[in-house]
Amino acid sequence: MLRLFLKTLKTGVITERQKRPKDSELERLGIVVKRHIDKHFSGSLAIREIDAGSCNGCELEIHALNNPFYDVERFGIHFVASPRHADVLLVTGPVSRHMQTALLRTYEATPNPKWVIAVGDCAACGGEFGVSYACCGAVSNVIPVDVVIPGCPPTPDALLQGLLGLMKKRCNYSAYFYQRE
Ligand code: SF4
């Protein structure tokens, strides 16, 4: 035990330091997002994440939104366990045939008005996988999509930008969104 302890002391910290200079940009973006959430979603935006067949690269970036560095809860963004509590569906793809029915049912279970964001190149267009006997390709081939966030995978900053894009669209086309109910 003592040997291990001494070795740890001798080795020191070997991980890379977290770069923090973009904090101000993140903060600025978060404040704008929060302002829109306060105005249009009564202070809190509930997101249900659905993995419709991704490689989990997109999920890693989505998980990062909740880590202590990004901490998007402070901007009023919450991830929920049920589509019945969600305003927004965040879908990663491509949509495998096995997940097609589950995705449709999740969409139907989400209360109106609801918005769908397709996250990542696979969700946007099927990516490497395209459409095949095992794959439906893009999320928009299965359910209506309001916003696409491209990237393989998109960064947490890009995800926040995409959410902001959704809210701006919501602002500009609120009549259109309510018609969809
Ligand atoms: S976009 Fe890239 S990271 Fe996301 S599911 Fe497709 S291959 Fe994986």
Side-chain angles (χ1 to χ4, degrees):
M1 184 68 192
L2 184 63
R3 217 158 12 111
L4 266 181
F5 184 63
L6 287 174
K7 190 178 174 190
T8 310
L9 275 183
K10 243 194 274 171
T11 308
V13 179
I14 55 170
T15 49
E16 284 177 25
R17 284 195 172 278
Q18 172 70 54
K19 292 180 195 153
R20 299 187 58 93
K22 282 197 187 155
D23 268 10
S24 54
E25 270 173 47
L26 174 69
E27 206 66 34
R28 213 172 321 123
L29 178 60
I31 288 166
V32 179
V33 169
K34 175 83 177 105
R35 208 174 295 139
H36 280 272
I37 290 177
D38 286 346
K39 191 168 173 195
H40 302 288
F41 295 89
S42 304
S44 115
L45 182 76
I47 297 177
R48 170 69 184 154
E49 202 270 334
I50 306 158
D51 175 353
S54 93
C55 72
N56 283 155
C58 287
E59 271 66 30
L60 286 174
E61 301 300 315
I62 292 169
H63 288 173
L65 288 174
N66 281 319
N67 71 20
F69 183 77
Y70 288 96
D71 187 22
V72 291
E73 289 245 345
R74 70 195 149 130
F75 303 131
I77 299 167
H78 309 280
F79 284 81
V80 292
S82 165
R84 296 196 190 282
H85 304 153
D87 302 302
V88 174
L89 297 179
L90 209 57
V91 189
T92 59
V95 184
S96 69
R97 298 268 174 209
H98 285 309
M99 280 299 289
Q100 184 178 7
T101 308
L103 179 58
L104 268 171
R105 285 191 186 162
T106 305
Y107 181 75
E108 281 158 15
T110 311
N112 283 319
K114 56 193 164 197
W115 299 277
V116 177
I117 303 180
V119 174
D121 289 349
C122 294
C125 63
E128 292 293 314
F129 308 95
V131 179
S132 72
Y133 71 93
C135 185
C136 305
V139 174
S140 59
N141 292 344
V142 181
I143 55 174
V145 169
D146 299 293
V147 170
V148 171
I149 305 176
C152 182
T155 60
D157 293 304
L159 293 169
L160 273 179
Q161 286 283 5
L163 275 172
L164 186 59
L166 169 77
M167 278 175 273
K168 283 185 175 163
K169 201 173 164 186
R170 163 80 165 77
C171 244
N172 296 338
Y173 302 106
S174 54
Y176 161 75
F177 278 99
Y178 283 111
Q179 272 168 19
R180 283 188 48 197
E181 286 183 50

